[in-house]
Amino acid sequence: MIETAKLAWSRLPSAEDAEAQEEEINQRILAGGGAESLDYEIIENHAYREAQARRGKLFVWYHVVVKWFFSLLIGIGTGVAAVFINLAVENFSGWKYAATFSIIQHSYFAGFLVFVMFNLALVFSSVYIITQFAPAAAGSGIPEIKGYLNGVDTHGILLLRTLIGKIFGSIGSVGGGLALGKEGPLVHTGACIASLLGQVHALIVQGDQETAFEYLNHNFMVAIRSGGSTKYHLNSRWLQVFESDRDRRDLVTCGCAAGVAAAFRAPVGGVLFALEEVTSWWRSQLMWRVFFTSAVVAVVVRSAMNWCKSGKCGHFGSGGFIIWDISDGQEDYSFQELLPMAIIGVIGGLLGALFNQLTLYITSWRRKYLHKKGNRVKIFEVCLLSFITSAISFGLPLLRKCSPCPNPETNPGIECPRPPGIDGNFVNFFCAKDKEYNDLATIFFNTQDDAIRNLFSAKTFHEYSAKSLLTFLVMFYSLAVVTFGTAVPAGQFVPGIMIGSTYGRLVGMFVVKFYSRLNVEEGTYALLGAASFLGGSMRMTVSLCVIMVEITNNLKLLPLIMLVLLISKAVGDFFNEGLYEEQAQLRGIPLLESRPKQYMRNMTAKEACKNQRVVFFSRIVKVADILSVLQSNTHNGFPVIDHGRNGETLVIGLILRSHLLVLLQSKVDFQDSPFPCDIRGASNRHNLSDFVKPATSKGKSIDQIHLTDDEKEMYLDLSPFLNPCPYIVPEDMSLSKVYNLFRQLGLRHIFVVPRASHVIGLITRKDLLLEENDNIDTVELQSTVRDQRLNKRSVGRDVHTEPLLDSLLIQ
């Protein structure tokens, strides 16, 4: 066991590997190529068609069962990861506050030193893990995952090292008291777990220890392919379940929903978050699996909380998993309150838009100037922010006068002050009397979850002064802006709720004083403020509304939450885009938004590609020509042309760069003669898995291809390996229609061709509603055009009607 551990440790990525990976990503971003498109389109070449022909009904059922089984595993894995992160954060925070409150009974200065050093140690562990081990784990990860589901692959975001860095980095940054949250990184964590499960299932079946070490050695992921590895002979078609980017995309979607469900204990909100915020393509079968995954997460989290009630989880108590139950709060509201609630929505939109703009400027400056100086500067920056945050959290309550505790006779059930080191309201900090509390320390000396619970709390009139809330709002807002974008895992959900609930409670205090109504709860306005800031910053509506209802357990406030969300989103959209869209743009992730730009309606497809030089291959091409083309450009898809019976040039399909690299590396399809090959022989030499790109690697490179001079003079027939039916649009189609087609189908390439000369048929709805047992050969397309074509053939006009590729192949 010791030797095994030493071998595994020796093959872990080093600090130089992590720094080189991050430098490569930064250079690609600066060069405009920081991401690569994913192949969501099915490449219907002959290998694919033969693989589909061999799959019977048994394999179809097996395929469905495996997908549901992996949805179950994703839910369990994400739930366990969330439980582990919450347990660690709550216990570290509990130990920190218990030690601090114990020491300040004797010396506040010594307590301050312990508080700072505890936070500094946790934050240093987080930034060290990120900079030295997993640079792709920095930030929330949601922009990168959103880009992945949009069809953009950012290298490194789904590695095993990224998952490890995300989990342990989140524990350090959140437990260290930074103005960050763990909820955003949990979405990335769920996506990583989903992707990894889809890639390692073949390795688990084989159970080869040598393969596992190879798997760890090369970025933890490159050693195996999804569904099998040609190197280790895992090519069984029963293992090739997640062999395409489309299947992996479905798994990552389940992981995203599971992350939200685990973070907020909001399974329905998780499904809607995946639908509204991160995915670009959706279908009903996927929705059921996503819903099932979120339900599994809810069961896992609930089981863990019930187990922790026995006291086996240390400081994990009523904090931990987010659930701010305000069902005993305000039960009704009047029309007079709609105006201040609308004002909360406006404030949320303004502050959210300002937050997005400030974080964009600061993050851009940080990436251009500060982070270029190396990892030491990143570590120093985060440690400095940790010291500043600790100093503010400890120092500002010292400047605040304590308030007398509420009368226990008129406020039964309130414990004031609460025992030191225990979560809750009414913290006694630097107070002269025992029956006093420090309202500013009540917010600062708690985990963010507990602080929000205090701000949301009902029946706590006048617990906070307006001066304390305003002070906290300004300081925490500033800290959140500056901290976001540093080299640690950083979520913005909970800090946004903290900011919004603070100014929401301020407005609630004004409403209580102005209207003089005793049934108005300040905690209700804190909830609306939290929703308004998230809506103004992240621009989510439906999913955020459901999440807020689920985490507060108060359905009566649903109309009010909808009102403030609509207002805050409208106000925020007037100034800039959402937080994740702007961060994706900053990271060089080319997202295709849901709607095309207005100017695209006045452009045609031909105008969009008028300056392009089309690089194409002939059907029979010399190996040296392929090598030259691949070395001279970075295109990922090439049209393939051939000559028809009458000598005209025909486009017969699309060949991918990755497929060409596979053919050049294998060399088994090289031929001496420049004539078409036997298609069946070529298909038998390759399986569909040979052309599957490793999910989290960059795939093959042209630099890895080594050919002799004799091999370069040989020929290659591309017809068995190309996609004979790529998507095609006419040159005069509006660019907005092309945009919608490209985005909704998840395409990577689309051909622009001249207007077709004739039509061979017309597909209607009726032609698509075929039963499986129907004789398709007897089904007639309802087209008068076909009749006209047949009539023209009868008078001697020869019209080519056979499938284009089949007519060009020699059988």
Side-chain angles (χ1 to χ4, degrees):
M1 289 297 294
I2 296 178
E3 293 300 324
T4 301
K6 288 182 178 180
L7 179 59
W9 177 260
S10 66
R11 299 189 178 189
L12 289 176
S14 63
E16 290 77 11
D17 296 335
E19 190 169 2
Q21 177 191 351
E22 184 179 24
E23 181 64 24
E24 178 189 357
I25 293 174
N26 291 335
Q27 291 297 330
R28 293 173 68 189
I29 290 176
L30 293 176
E36 181 181 345
S37 295
L38 292 164
D39 293 307
Y40 286 155
E41 179 185 359
I42 297 178
I43 306 301
E44 296 182 345
N45 53 25
H46 283 269
Y48 171 81
R49 292 178 177 178
E50 289 187 358
Q52 292 297 314
R54 292 194 301 266
R55 295 178 178 179
K57 291 184 177 180
L58 179 60
F59 182 86
V60 173
W61 280 103
Y62 168 81
H63 193 266
V64 173
V65 171
V66 168
K67 285 186 175 182
W68 280 91
F69 176 69
F70 273 85
S71 298
L72 173 67
L73 294 183
I74 293 169
I76 295 175
T78 307
V80 171
V83 170
F84 175 74
I85 292 174
N86 278 276
L87 284 175
V89 169
E90 286 294 314
N91 278 284
F92 278 125
S93 299
W95 296 331
K96 174 179 64 179
Y97 291 127
T100 301
F101 275 97
S102 176
I103 295 175
I104 63 175
Q105 305 300 323
H106 308 284
S107 172
Y108 275 86
F109 180 74
F112 170 72
L113 291 180
V114 170
F115 185 72
V116 170
M117 295 305 297
F118 213 115
N119 284 336
L120 198 59
L122 288 172
V123 170
F124 177 79
S125 68
S126 175
V127 68
Y128 188 84
I129 290 172
I130 299 303
T131 55
Q132 306 297 320
F133 184 75
S140 70
I142 293 181
E144 289 82 359
I145 299 302
K146 185 173 182 179
Y148 183 89
L149 297 177
N150 194 260
V152 181
D153 185 14
T154 304
H155 178 62
I157 62 171
L158 298 176
L159 297 176
L160 179 60
R161 69 163 77 177
T162 304
L163 173 63
I164 297 174
K166 210 74 178 183
I167 293 176
F168 290 96
S170 299
I171 294 172
S173 61
V174 178
L178 293 179
L180 303 170
K182 58 183 179 294
E183 287 67 34
L186 264 176
V187 177
H188 193 181
T189 299
C192 288
I193 291 174
S195 178
L196 292 170
L197 284 175
Q199 295 164 54
V200 304
H201 70 286
L203 182 61
I204 295 174
V205 171
Q206 187 191 30
D208 187 0
Q209 188 182 56
E210 189 75 21
T211 308
F213 285 131
E214 181 68 22
Y215 170 80
L216 290 171
N217 184 38
H218 193 51
N219 279 341
F220 288 96
M221 292 307 308
V222 184
I224 63 167
R225 289 197 182 114
S226 176
S229 171
T230 56
K231 183 175 181 179
Y232 298 102
H233 308 290
L234 297 176
N235 288 323
S236 171
R237 64 190 181 96
W238 294 97
L239 298 179
Q240 298 168 7
V241 178
F242 307 107
E243 60 191 6
S244 68
D245 288 333
R246 295 166 62 93
D247 294 327
R248 298 176 191 136
R249 174 184 61 183
D250 293 349
L251 288 178
V252 172
T253 303
C254 293
C256 290
V260 175
F264 295 100
R265 291 174 57 193
V268 179
V271 176
L272 294 176
F273 175 84
L275 172 60
E276 178 185 8
E277 184 64 19
V278 295
T279 59
S280 304
W281 186 82
W282 196 262
R283 65 181 189 275
S284 58
Q285 297 92 335
L286 176 61
M287 183 183 70
W288 282 109
R289 294 212 309 273
V290 170
F291 185 79
F292 172 71
T293 305
S294 299
V296 172
V297 171
V299 173
V300 172
V301 171
R302 172 59 65 180
S303 301
M305 293 190 66
N306 291 335
W307 183 72
C308 287
K309 287 181 179 179
S310 61
K312 300 178 181 179
C313 300
H315 287 271
F316 184 85
S318 60
F321 286 103
I322 296 174
I323 185 71
W324 302 303
D325 192 346
I326 60 171
S327 56
D328 58 344
Q330 184 172 339
E331 297 182 356
D332 196 9
Y333 52 90
S334 64
F335 288 102
Q336 294 175 331
E337 297 180 64
L338 294 180
L339 178 60
M341 291 175 181
I343 293 176
I344 288 179
V346 174
I347 296 174
L350 294 175
L351 290 181
L354 178 62
F355 182 89
N356 293 355
Q357 205 64 36
L358 291 176
T359 54
L360 179 64
Y361 288 151
I362 294 176
T363 306
S364 178
W365 174 84
R366 181 182 281 127
R367 295 171 68 92
K368 287 182 180 179
Y369 302 104
L370 195 61
H371 285 181
K372 281 187 174 181
K373 298 180 179 180
N375 289 334
R376 292 183 179 180
V377 175
K378 298 177 184 178
I379 295 175
F380 177 78
E381 176 198 19
V382 177
C383 291
L384 179 62
L385 284 174
S386 174
F387 176 79
I388 294 174
T389 304
S390 300
I392 291 175
S393 301
F394 197 96
L396 285 182
L398 293 175
L399 305 177
R400 176 64 185 161
K401 292 183 180 180
C402 293
S403 304
C405 290
N407 189 344
E409 296 180 358
T410 58
N411 298 275
I414 292 180
E415 184 180 13
C416 179
R418 66 172 173 85
I422 306 300
D423 61 278
N425 298 56
F426 306 108
V427 175
N428 185 286
F429 182 80
F430 203 63
C431 297
K433 300 179 181 179
D434 292 337
K435 287 298 182 179
E436 289 183 339
Y437 73 97
N438 191 317
D439 59 346
L440 199 54
T442 300
I443 308 177
F444 274 119
F445 274 87
N446 267 309
T447 62
Q448 293 182 15
D449 296 347
D450 291 328
I452 294 172
R453 186 175 292 104
N454 296 341
L455 291 171
F456 281 1
S457 60
K459 307 296 187 295
T460 54
F461 291 108
H462 312 301
E463 178 183 355
Y464 303 98
S465 66
K467 184 182 296 185
S468 295
L469 290 178
L470 189 60
T471 302
F472 178 80
L473 174 63
V474 173
M475 299 310 301
F476 192 82
Y477 189 94
S478 303
L479 289 173
V481 168
V482 175
T483 309
F484 189 82
T486 53
V488 292
Q492 203 50 44
F493 275 102
V494 169
I497 295 176
M498 287 276 288
I499 295 170
S501 59
T502 304
Y503 69 75
R505 189 151 186 129
L506 275 170
V507 175
M509 293 171 62
F510 169 78
V511 172
V512 171
K513 185 176 181 180
F514 184 81
Y515 289 109
S516 300
R517 297 183 57 188
L518 296 179
N519 64 333
V520 174
E521 285 289 351
E522 298 171 2
T524 300
Y525 285 83
L527 167 65
L528 298 180
S532 69
F533 185 83
L534 292 179
S537 175
M538 300 179 183
R539 312 294 161 78
M540 296 186 296
T541 52
V542 179
S543 59
L544 184 57
C545 182
V546 173
I547 289 173
M548 296 303 293
V549 171
E550 287 187 282
I551 63 179
T552 57
N553 195 25
N554 195 332
L555 192 61
K556 297 178 182 178
L557 299 179
L558 178 61
L560 303 181
I561 297 175
M562 295 172 64
L563 173 66
V564 297
L565 280 176
L566 291 173
I567 296 176
S568 62
K569 184 182 186 303
V571 173
D573 285 338
F574 181 78
F575 294 98
N576 50 31
E577 292 183 303
L579 177 65
Y580 299 135
E581 287 75 16
E582 293 202 345
Q583 292 297 319
Q585 182 180 1
L586 180 65
R587 286 166 168 78
I589 302 174
L591 290 180
L592 292 180
E593 298 301 328
S594 57
R595 296 178 59 185
K597 303 296 183 181
Q598 183 64 32
Y599 70 88
M600 294 183 179
R601 303 181 186 276
N602 302 321
M603 290 183 62
T604 62
K606 182 179 180 180
E607 294 173 345
C609 59
K610 61 181 179 181
N611 296 325
Q612 294 181 0
R613 184 177 68 88
V614 179
V615 181
F616 59 88
F617 290 112
S618 299
R619 174 186 172 179
I620 313 296
V621 60
K622 185 178 289 188
V623 173
D625 294 338
I626 299 178
L627 200 63
S628 175
V629 170
L630 296 182
Q631 290 174 340
S632 61
N633 64 77
T634 58
H635 299 328
N636 289 289
F638 304 91
V640 180
I641 64 171
D642 202 357
H643 299 287
R645 296 173 178 175
N646 298 327
E648 72 276 12
T649 301
L650 300 175
V651 178
I652 61 173
L654 170 74
I655 187 75
L656 296 180
R657 181 187 189 93
S658 59
H659 290 189
L660 290 172
L661 293 174
V662 170
L663 297 176
L664 291 179
Q665 190 175 56
S666 67
K667 305 178 184 180
V668 297
D669 297 287
F670 292 176
Q671 58 187 42
D672 296 322
S673 62
F675 298 104
C677 68
D678 182 5
I679 188 171
R680 290 188 175 86
S683 300
N684 292 332
R685 290 192 292 268
H686 292 280
N687 292 319
L688 182 61
S689 60
D690 294 341
F691 301 100
V692 174
K693 171 189 170 185
T696 55
S697 75
K698 294 177 290 186
K700 294 181 174 62
S701 171
I702 188 64
D703 299 329
Q704 300 172 346
I705 306 299
H706 304 287
L707 301 174
T708 63
D709 293 337
D710 293 337
E711 290 171 338
K712 293 179 182 178
E713 294 301 318
M714 301 181 74
Y715 294 89
L716 187 61
D717 186 358
L718 302 180
S719 59
F721 314 105
L722 54 80
N723 182 8
C725 46
Y727 286 92
I728 297 175
V729 298
E731 60 182 352
D732 55 352
M733 177 181 285
S734 69
L735 190 58
S736 62
K737 292 182 67 175
V738 177
Y739 183 98
N740 291 327
L741 179 69
F742 199 96
R743 184 182 186 276
Q744 293 173 8
L745 295 179
L747 303 182
R748 187 174 186 177
H749 309 93
I750 192 166
F751 283 178
V752 180
V753 298
R755 176 63 66 178
S757 59
H758 62 276
V759 180
I760 65 171
L762 182 66
I763 299 291
T764 64
R765 182 183 298 269
K766 180 179 179 180
D767 304 309
L768 301 177
L769 300 176
L770 299 177
E771 296 295 336
E772 187 176 2
N773 56 358
D774 284 350
N775 186 1
I776 301 180
D777 295 335
T778 63
V779 177
E780 295 182 358
L781 296 180
Q782 304 301 313
S783 173
T784 57
V785 178
R786 165 175 281 190
D787 295 335
Q788 295 175 3
R789 179 180 59 78
L790 293 175
N791 291 336
K792 290 180 180 179
R793 176 187 289 181
S794 63
V795 297
R797 182 176 179 178
D798 184 18
V799 179
H800 177 68
T801 61
E802 296 176 331
L804 180 59
L805 183 59
D806 294 344
S807 67
L808 294 174
L809 298 178
I810 297 178
Q811 303 296 332

